[in-house]
Amino acid sequence: MRRVVVIGAGVIGLCCAYELRRRGLEVILLDKGQPGDACSRGNTGWVVRSFSGPLPAPGLTWTSLKWMASTHSPLYIRPSTLPSMAGWLLSFWRKCNERDYQDGLDAVARFSEPTMDLFDDLEAGGTVGEMHRSGLLCAFSREAALEISMKTFETIASYGLIQPQRLSANETRDREPALSSVIAGGILLQGERHVRPEAFNEALLARIEGQGVEVRAGIEVCCHVREGREVRAVITGSHGGSGELAGGCGPDTAGRPCGPDNGLHSSRSPVEGDAFVIAAGAWSGLLAGRLDVSLPMQAGKGYSITIDDPAVSLRGPVYFPEHKIVTSPFVGALRLGGTMELSGINDDLDQRRIAAIRHGAERFLPGSMEGAGESEWVGMRPLMPDGLPVIGRAPGYDNLFIATGHAMLGVTLAPVTAQAIADLIIDGNTRLPIESFTPARFQG
């Protein structure tokens, strides 16, 4: 039996482990924290093919420049990080054009075609936890903003996705009576779904452990053992050499290179495998860099507030595009999320960003902050400068694969990403259209 080591136990890594084990491979799943945590836990759990368009969009360049300095805007870039991410931002803004946007939309829309069927299969096997088929409502306070979004969704629908249904102000509030009087109209995307992400992750974890997947939590990969074009093993922990964990393991003070047999990692054994998958979310760029694979990734922090036993009841998820605030009703809870913060890899929770969500929520959903209790969350989405995921074989390697960079579509694309990775490892190729997602596009 071939052994696959999956690095990262977020929703992508969990789905990869599930699919690989389902197809008969031995799987070891490693995570620096706890499985299902980080960005995979506190998001709103949308399963939405209608949002297949990449993050860099036409017109976003000047809008983002206007937003970036305000802590209360949908996009905030910490000024101290600007020098280090200037190249990434320039690459991102260059992609904010019609041609690249349409190409990206086409790539993601075609790739996500099996999504709903795959979620049906997972649900049938008891591996979803909590899934709702209540559609998605977009609510607007300005008629002009509604018109722009309607044209966008009509374009997206031409790729075989859900046809948008325009609603008047009264029709919008009839569907969701809790909405405030500022709502001027809405767009209904019937057929979209959402899951409670932590329940989804817990169901996946329980399933793969029951299937015999070895799950190792609190394990940080710091370097690797390579022979030619293959990775033979990954080594966990730090040996205190000049590299430390942040940059991988460098030589020790005597100049000896890191390796499994030189005593530098005497406290732990190397984790050997026949194939390796990097699915570590926002940390994937660091891990890939230690393997000489270029992944120009930034961590896009998102925030959410979960209200327990909420006073406000919603029929389904509601999105407020003008303020980039999203809501998801779960069994016994309501989650409100939003914002995009570029401030490097850190889990600092900025209360100003939480306050912006509260302010917007109270304007559009009065009383939505009332309930039996609440919890705040921050997580880092893995963002690539072209807004597309990275799925495929790593350049320069025969047995190293990458599955990351899904931005806000991690839950939506997790099952089909797992299908593609399993195809590549077992068969050497896949019929799924992943050409636009190749890791090689960033080399050189």
Side-chain angles (χ1 to χ4, degrees):
M1 178 185 292
R2 298 178 65 191
R3 172 187 285 183
V4 182
V5 179
V6 179
I7 305 169
V11 67
I12 302 295
L14 286 166
C15 281
C16 285
Y18 168 80
E19 185 61 26
L20 289 163
R21 185 66 187 123
R22 191 184 71 83
R23 299 197 196 184
L25 275 63
E26 179 184 353
V27 181
I28 298 177
L29 182 61
L30 309 178
D31 196 272
K32 66 189 293 293
Q34 294 300 313
D37 273 354
C39 193
S40 294
R41 175 164 292 275
N43 63 77
T44 49
W46 286 6
V47 183
V48 285
R49 294 189 63 217
S50 297
F51 285 72
S52 293
L55 188 59
L60 186 58
T61 303
W62 296 112
T63 303
S64 60
L65 286 171
K66 179 179 67 176
W67 281 342
M68 61 187 286
S70 172
T71 57
H72 299 288
S73 69
L75 169 67
Y76 171 65
I77 303 177
R78 184 179 292 176
S80 62
T81 64
L82 277 172
S84 63
M85 67 173 61
W88 188 93
L89 287 170
L90 182 59
S91 296
F92 179 90
W93 286 328
R94 283 174 174 166
K95 292 292 182 178
C96 293
N97 63 78
E98 188 67 31
R99 185 190 67 184
D100 286 323
Y101 178 81
Q102 293 297 333
D103 288 347
L105 169 59
D106 178 70
V108 176
R110 288 188 299 113
F111 178 64
S112 66
E113 282 184 8
T115 289
M116 297 308 181
D117 289 339
L118 292 174
F119 270 95
D120 287 341
D121 292 342
L122 289 169
E123 185 181 45
T127 318
V128 171
E130 179 184 330
M131 183 162 67
H132 305 267
R133 294 173 171 81
S134 47
L136 172 65
L137 176 67
C138 301
F140 302 82
S141 61
R142 295 180 299 116
E143 191 74 23
L146 191 157
E147 290 287 349
I148 293 172
S149 288
M150 189 68 185
K151 291 179 181 178
T152 300
F153 283 125
E154 286 174 341
T155 299
I156 292 173
S158 68
Y159 287 86
L161 302 181
I162 293 171
Q163 290 289 337
Q165 179 183 348
R166 181 167 179 164
L167 304 179
S168 67
N170 288 336
E171 289 171 332
T172 304
R173 283 191 290 273
D174 284 344
R175 180 175 174 85
E176 294 291 0
L179 292 172
S180 72
S181 59
V182 303
I183 298 301
I187 298 173
L188 179 62
L189 300 168
Q190 196 64 268
E192 300 290 26
R193 308 180 189 181
H194 72 288
V195 300
R196 183 153 189 173
E198 56 268 54
F200 183 32
N201 298 335
E202 289 164 6
L204 281 169
L205 180 62
R207 182 64 177 272
I208 64 175
E209 287 183 323
Q211 292 174 325
V213 171
E214 182 180 349
V215 180
R216 302 185 189 180
I219 299 295
E220 186 162 11
V221 172
C222 63
C223 60
H224 66 285
V225 178
R226 178 179 182 178
E227 292 182 9
R229 293 178 56 87
E230 293 194 345
V231 177
R232 294 299 187 186
V234 293
I235 302 173
T236 60
S238 173
H239 59 58
S242 60
E244 294 297 338
L245 282 177
C249 288
D252 70 353
T253 54
R256 296 177 300 170
C258 176
D261 301 320
N262 59 11
L264 300 180
H265 288 279
S266 58
S267 62
R268 294 191 182 178
S269 300
V271 181
E272 298 177 342
D274 300 303
F276 296 80
V277 180
I278 295 177
W283 291 271
S284 298
L286 293 174
L287 286 171
R290 297 170 192 168
L291 292 155
D292 299 321
V293 176
S294 176
L295 280 187
M297 178 177 288
Q298 289 292 335
K301 288 170 66 176
Y303 292 78
S304 73
I305 307 166
T306 302
I307 309 298
D308 298 322
D309 296 325
V312 167
S313 175
L314 291 178
R315 184 175 174 180
V318 182
Y319 177 38
F320 304 101
E322 294 153 291
H323 292 264
K324 309 299 182 188
I325 292 176
V326 299
T327 68
S328 282
F330 302 130
V331 176
L334 175 65
R335 182 164 294 163
L336 305 100
T339 80
M340 176 67 74
E341 176 186 320
L342 298 177
S343 58
I345 291 184
N346 65 80
D347 56 2
D348 300 338
L349 194 150
D350 189 337
Q351 284 294 334
R352 295 172 296 183
R353 311 298 288 161
I354 290 289
I357 295 174
R358 293 183 187 277
H359 176 75
E362 286 293 353
R363 182 185 179 203
F364 297 117
L365 276 174
S368 57
M369 292 292 105
E370 300 174 9
E374 67 173 50
S375 57
E376 299 170 347
W377 171 89
V378 61
M380 293 178 286
R381 314 175 185 101
L383 305 180
M384 307 309 297
D386 59 6
L388 300 178
V390 183
I391 304 169
R393 193 188 311 270
Y397 290 89
D398 294 330
N399 70 335
L400 177 65
F401 303 85
I402 298 176
T404 189
H406 295 75
M408 284 80 75
L409 291 175
V411 174
T412 300
L413 298 180
V416 67
T417 296
Q419 294 278 321
I421 291 296
D423 288 346
L424 291 172
I425 291 175
I426 296 171
D427 301 324
N429 56 66
T430 179
R431 293 184 179 181
L432 291 165
I434 61 171
E435 299 83 4
S436 298
F437 311 142
T438 173
R441 71 188 192 268
F442 299 112
Q443 296 306 110

